Amino acid sequence: MNLNKNSKRRKELVAIAARLFCDQGYESTTVRMLADAMGIKSGSLFHHFSDKQEILYAVIESGMLHAMEIARQTLASARTSKEKLHALARAHLSTLLEDRDAHVVAIYEWRSLTQESRDLLVELRDAYETSWREVISECHEAGLIKGDQGLQRRLALGALNWTVQWYHPDGELTPDDLAQELVAMVLREPSAV
Amino acid sequence: MNLNKNSKRRKELVAIAARLFCDQGYESTTVRMLADAMGIKSGSLFHHFSDKQEILYAVIESGMLHAMEIARQTLASARTSKEKLHALARAHLSTLLEDRDAHVVAIYEWRSLTQESRDLLVELRDAYETSWREVISECHEAGLIKGDQGLQRRLALGALNWTVQWYHPDGELTPDDLAQELVAMVLREPSAV
DNA sequence: GACGATAACTAGCGCTTGCTTGGTTTTATG
DNA sequence: CATAAAACCAAGCAAGCGCTAGTTATCGTC
């Protein structure tokens, strides 16, 4: 089996798997379907991945790493704590759209990961959410908002994650509108949309 | 096959199926597992349901019907539009907790329904969301809030539905705390928690 | 106590699943 | 241009899948 996790070929395969897992679900996607979509035979799949679950892990991990990178970049150019909150919301929506397949899979197929894989990914997610924790904490220190920070963070992230259920970027609402409205809700400011 | 959809026995079986589907996912739950948990043999399952997918449909339908009933009751005793919004949020959280299995299944296993089943359940869900549409519209007419009503409804329902991911009622936060905070966010009032 | 209806059982069919094996072709590198 | 590594293929195994067919127990009703 090829162990090079950063090979270009592997990334292609992971993206293809993400699409199938997103469209039909992990359990309903067979290794034969995956292989067909990848243009190889099902046996060849196991040259790239040790088993089917590892493909799922790779899909979710790639989505999370990408999300963290985008958040880091977007956050870099934000000054005030309100700007930072907006930056996080905007970055979150960006990855949810750009990398939709992987994130839908992360949300829906968590259960199919082995415990070991789950533990690894929980670490990644916690690292990501730390940015949110810090920024919301800043908003509190700046006096922009009061109350339970953990609750506010979870309600906000919930509202954002749920957008994969209904949001299509070809409508009237832009991702920026969504981010604006969410920040307004969290900071209890009048709606700007 | 037994066609009586309201039999007590069938409701028991549906509740058991809900638990297994919630814990392991629809595709990963075999008819043999279901039958074991029900205390019958796998063949006997098909005396009660025509196929596996019908069990999934029954689980989700029961959760939705229950949610609508709770919402109807809770709404009846609310007077002001703010009270109504709180009532809806509280009712939503109640069913999410009381009937957690069914709602988790509804969220995660939607994809495994046949198109026909999905269409039927979409009608139910739309009927339910109409309550939300009406109440949020009332809040706007009362001048409590401005902006895009559909966006606000979706962000609110998203935040609520996402609670199944993290909320455990044995912590410090009560469901009422959650409802209060959500209403405060939607109506842009200071946090009360 | 015979009857129909309900609910359960036994046995297994036909097919699909994830994965393995053993060997061949392609690609990259010194 | 020789060689190793990477990529692929054809074939198939063992296990498990949803579901069916035919049969037997249980129960209220006349």
Side-chain angles (χ1 to χ4, degrees), chain B residues 72-153:
Chain B
R72 208 187 49 76
Q73 284 175 18
T74 317
L75 214 47
S77 60
R79 295 284 161 265
T80 66
S81 43
K82 181 181 169 181
E83 275 174 20
K84 288 182 186 172
L85 187 61
H86 185 271
L88 277 185
R90 188 67 182 74
H92 198 91
L93 286 165
S94 289
T95 43
L96 233 43
L97 290 174
E98 285 168 30
D99 235 2
R100 186 171 182 278
D101 292 345
H103 288 287
V104 168
V105 171
I107 291 171
Y108 283 102
E109 311 296 348
W110 193 258
R111 179 170 32 208
S112 294
L113 293 164
T114 62
Q115 188 59 51
E116 193 184 7
S117 296
R118 259 202 290 268
D119 291 345
L120 288 168
L121 292 174
V122 161
E123 280 186 43
L124 273 186
R125 194 181 57 189
D126 284 351
Y128 174 74
E129 288 192 0
T130 292
S131 304
W132 279 84
R133 255 182 280 266
E134 289 170 358
V135 168
I136 287 183
S137 176
E138 267 193 48
C139 290
H140 278 249
E141 282 164 21
L144 295 177
I145 176 181
K146 298 191 190 310
D148 186 319
Q149 300 187 15
L151 178 53
Q152 287 155 1
R153 185 186 79 248

Side-chain angles (χ1 to χ4, degrees), chain A residues 160-173:
Chain A
L160 286 178
N161 284 331
W162 197 256
T163 56
V164 301
Q165 300 271 2
W166 58 269
Y167 181 65
H168 302 286
D170 43 330
E172 288 185 7
L173 286 166

Side-chain angles (χ1 to χ4, degrees), chain A residues 2 9 32 40-41 44 47-48:
Chain A
N2 181 10
R9 181 73 175 132
R32 287 166 179 80
I40 58 179
K41 297 296 171 184
S44 312
H47 172 72
H48 300 277

Side-chain angles (χ1 to χ4, degrees), chain A residues 31-56:
Chain A
V31 292
R32 287 166 179 80
M33 292 175 184
L34 289 168
D36 276 356
M38 293 167 178
I40 58 179
K41 297 296 171 184
S42 70
S44 312
L45 241 182
F46 295 90
H47 172 72
H48 300 277
F49 305 92
S50 67
D51 55 27
K52 190 188 173 193
Q53 190 265 172
E54 192 184 290
I55 310 178
L56 176 60

